[in-house]
Amino acid sequence: MSSVLQSSEQAIDATSIPHSAAYSKSDLFLRNRLKVVEDLWKSVIRQECGQELVDLLQQMRSFNSSEGQATNFRESNVVQLIEKLDLNAAIRAARAFALYFQLINIVEQHYEQRDQQLAYTGSNDAGGRMFAKLPGQAKDAPDRPRHREGPAQTAPRGADSSEAITKDAGTFHELFPMLLRLNVPSQQIQRLIDQLDIRLVFTAHPTEIVRNTIRTKQRRMAKILQKLDQVDEKFQGMGANSESPYPVSSWEAANLQEQLMEEIRLWWRTDELHQFKPTVLDEVEYTLHYFDEVLFDAIPELYHRLKQALHASYPYLKPPSYNFCKFGSWVGSDRDGNPSVTPKVTWQTACYQRHLVMCKYITAVKRLNELLSLSLHWSDVLPELLDSLDRDKSEFPDVYEQWAIRYRQEPYRLKLAYVLQRLENTRDRNWRLYKGDESQREREALSEQPVLTGIYRSGAEFLAELQLIERNLVETGLSCRDLENLLCQVEIYGFNLAYLDIRQESTVHSDTLSEIAEYLQILPKSYNQMSECDRVIWLATELQTRRPLIPTELPFSPKTCETINTFRVLRQMQQEFGPEICQTYVISMNHDVSDLLAVLLLAKESGLYDPATGISTIQVVPLFETVEDLKKAPEVMQQLFDLPLYRALLAGGYAQEVAEKSEQNPPNQIHPIKLQEVMLGYSDSNKDSG
């Protein structure tokens, strides 16, 4: 707290510091912004609580040393001051400081990003001029000291320019030229690019208490700061006040500062915390916020930067596939220690994710409809596009009647009208499933038509139509960046946005099997009392029989019923959303081989593992957490891989395993590597072993 307040005092003092080479203009620009925000904060506190609270806060800050630290003597003064406050005054003071810290963080984060972007685009400051260079700096190296570190130190004359910060540091535009200088074989680079498989997973944090309302206010303030930058750049670009490192006074800047003032005042009167316990779906919404606001559009941009940088150094190499980076999530599916994550919640989470991505696609297709206004008078199209329009006409006669006259010479727009209708139908059907309309799936199951019409059953169908449009554009010598971005997004996010990982603690599965076996009276003693060797033998035997173990009706305890229903819902999700929606089942506190086989047996009972073929649509993932389990992990995995049924599962089933061993496939032939995912130490290992 003290150091942050001290940095703010430095920001105030910076107004009296003459502009010199010791400070970059960006640094002084940041200091000025900090002062502006602090002045607005003081004004709000004064209006809302009076000058007395402002004086109190200033007095508490005055107890800091010049380094921003509270000495033992002065700390006692702070304690005495706080102890004199009544409860209401103490709460107001705490809220005021909390608001202050968040405002400062917004400004600092905004200008860290701003400096990075300026460096990336050419090292220009807010006024469009180059940063002042210190003696010994490289020509293209911007001087960007952190304001927390005090004045920038002058580099010694003759310093090696290779040590200077370049605008491409840490980017693809730095990486590939470096690989070229190092003479890394291009074949090796291509092989690595082709094998890129990045998977970023959002883990569940049910204790998250930050309100979406507060995040929205923070985002609005950051956008106002961006607009304020643009106003300053415009005026400085016109030559106004060109020697000053501080924002130019104008009615636009004054208006934006009034908006900041209004946001801060509204924030002050807003509860920081939820007044109710957030649900799991609230947490799902919190996580999807990052996809909605950042990731959905950022990943295609990342792809284009990678592709551009690669071709600048290696024009003959192929870029990675669009979906080189994909996303997963535990939110809404991780039930370890969270009884609120029920099978219904996991189903709704999958529907919620699909709803978000469908809305994104609908917006993108509407944008494409505005862009692709090509006329048959001036542009040809391939016969396959015209054929698809004939098929669409028979499926959507209403759409044809609505748009045929307006788009009679604009085939791309007519095609996109059909695409948009399918997307909207798919979104509406999905929302009915989210709301729990079970009759929707029942009607479809009883339908005489094996394939539903008027909707997309998968992202692959949507992707195929976009690729049809792209081929037509390419054949006529055209390209469309918005279409490329959408293609990239569909390949990455599909219709599911992110795959869901199920996680549950190992004893939940053993307790479930113990209760089932006791009810059926098929074991001489309780499953939980059996030795590890006996467990493995029984589980392996059950995994190879087609006889069901679990009855359709569940005469078990609620906990056991919920575990069984989790696997049944997982099967339903794969049927509805495709196998990719959930293919990973993480077993926390995994100790032995039986912990993995127990999950596989429950999966078999729900149709996720076929004992006849050895094919499984989910992978069981052991999570070794304790020190003892981490040491034992290699032995456990070796025992697992020694089981013929598990080797067949990893090979893709018995038929695939036999084919790979046949004479048609010589022993020296390279086969695809079969991977077993393993998690090492997630939380418990950090507690007892670091």
Side-chain angles (χ1 to χ4, degrees), residues 117-383:
Q117 292 169 354
L118 290 174
Y120 182 82
T121 57
S123 304
N124 290 333
D125 70 357
R129 301 179 300 278
M130 299 302 292
F131 282 103
K133 303 301 184 293
L134 302 182
Q137 270 193 307
K139 180 178 179 180
D140 294 330
D143 168 33
R144 297 186 292 131
R146 301 289 184 196
H147 73 277
R148 295 189 186 91
E149 299 171 353
Q153 300 299 315
T154 302
R157 294 185 182 275
D160 187 355
S161 62
S162 65
E163 297 178 358
I165 301 174
T166 66
K167 71 185 181 71
D168 290 333
T171 68
F172 293 129
H173 287 82
E174 178 195 39
L175 171 64
F176 292 113
M178 180 186 70
L179 296 177
L180 193 62
R181 291 194 303 271
L182 295 175
N183 293 319
V184 177
S186 58
Q187 298 90 337
Q188 180 180 355
I189 296 175
Q190 185 67 70
R191 185 165 58 252
L192 291 172
I193 290 175
D194 293 340
Q195 294 175 353
L196 272 179
D197 185 11
I198 302 171
R199 305 201 177 190
L200 306 176
V201 181
F202 285 80
T203 55
H205 293 282
T207 56
E208 176 59 56
I209 59 175
V210 177
R211 298 182 63 190
N212 184 50
T213 300
I214 299 300
R215 294 200 309 271
T216 301
K217 293 184 182 300
Q218 294 170 343
R219 188 163 61 249
R220 279 203 298 264
M221 292 195 66
K223 290 180 178 179
I224 294 174
L225 289 173
Q226 291 177 349
K227 293 179 181 178
L228 198 55
D229 290 348
Q230 295 169 2
V231 170
D232 295 334
E233 289 169 7
K234 180 179 70 173
F235 273 80
Q236 292 186 11
M238 294 168 59
N241 220 5
S242 60
E243 297 302 320
S244 172
Y246 306 115
V248 178
S249 177
S250 71
W251 70 268
E252 292 175 285
N255 180 58
L256 290 169
Q257 289 194 20
E258 288 180 6
Q259 292 183 37
L260 281 174
M261 177 84 143
E262 179 179 296
E263 288 291 342
I264 296 173
R265 193 167 187 180
L266 292 172
W267 189 345
W268 172 258
R269 296 196 185 188
T270 301
D271 285 327
E272 288 279 343
L273 305 179
H274 289 289
Q275 300 303 305
F276 59 92
K277 181 180 179 180
T279 66
V280 177
L281 292 178
D282 289 329
E283 186 189 356
V284 171
E285 182 181 4
Y286 174 85
T287 303
L288 296 186
H289 159 83
Y290 295 103
F291 285 100
D292 190 17
E293 294 293 332
V294 180
L295 293 173
F296 192 80
D297 295 320
I299 300 303
E301 182 64 29
L302 175 69
Y303 177 84
H304 287 302
R305 289 188 181 186
L306 192 161
K307 180 180 178 181
Q308 183 184 48
L310 174 67
H311 285 170
S313 298
Y314 299 93
Y316 44 86
L317 294 186
K318 295 187 299 181
S321 61
Y322 281 137
N323 62 352
F324 74 96
C325 179
K326 305 200 78 170
F327 293 89
S329 175
W330 287 12
V331 185
S333 57
D334 177 11
R335 54 242 313 128
D336 184 8
N338 190 352
S340 299
V341 182
T342 63
K344 179 181 179 181
V345 165
T346 301
W347 172 269
Q348 287 183 306
T349 298
C351 292
Y352 201 168
Q353 290 186 173
R354 182 159 65 179
H355 179 76
L356 185 148
V357 80
M358 295 302 299
C359 291
K360 286 288 189 181
Y361 293 154
I362 288 171
T363 301
V365 168
K366 289 179 178 178
R367 170 64 178 162
L368 284 177
N369 187 273
E370 296 176 357
L371 292 174
L372 299 181
S373 56
L374 289 74
S375 171
L376 288 174
H377 291 133
W378 309 105
S379 181
D380 296 328
V381 295
L382 299 178

Side-chain angles (χ1 to χ4, degrees), residues 496-624:
N496 298 327
L497 190 65
Y499 59 86
L500 294 172
D501 287 348
I502 304 292
R503 185 172 74 126
Q504 184 57 280
E505 202 264 332
S506 59
T507 59
V508 173
H509 311 122
S510 59
D511 289 345
T512 297
L513 289 178
S514 183
E515 184 175 346
I516 293 171
E518 183 178 353
Y519 172 80
L520 298 175
Q521 297 293 304
I522 56 176
L523 291 175
K525 59 180 178 180
S526 171
Y527 174 84
N528 282 335
Q529 295 177 357
M530 294 169 64
S531 67
E532 171 64 14
C533 180
D534 290 340
R535 284 190 186 187
V536 171
I537 293 174
W538 180 72
L539 290 167
T541 302
E542 286 293 330
L543 280 167
Q544 296 177 74
T545 180
R546 302 183 187 184
R547 168 187 52 77
L549 179 68
I550 302 176
T552 303
E553 300 295 331
L554 303 179
F556 306 116
S557 66
K559 186 175 181 181
T560 293
C561 290
E562 180 161 312
T563 301
I564 295 171
N565 285 328
T566 295
F567 285 90
R568 291 180 176 179
V569 165
L570 177 52
R571 170 65 171 167
Q572 293 174 6
M573 287 170 55
Q574 289 192 350
Q575 291 174 332
E576 170 63 31
F577 299 91
E580 63 276 5
I581 183 62
C582 185
Q583 295 179 297
T584 301
Y585 195 108
V586 180
I587 310 166
S588 60
M589 284 299 171
N590 194 101
H591 307 296
D592 300 297
V593 172
S594 62
D595 293 328
L596 290 98
L597 296 183
V599 171
L600 198 58
L601 179 56
L602 292 172
K604 171 212 153 191
E605 292 299 308
S606 299
L608 297 166
Y609 171 75
D610 185 355
T613 62
I615 296 175
S616 175
T617 57
I618 68 165
Q619 182 183 83
V620 288
V621 176
L623 169 51
F624 299 103

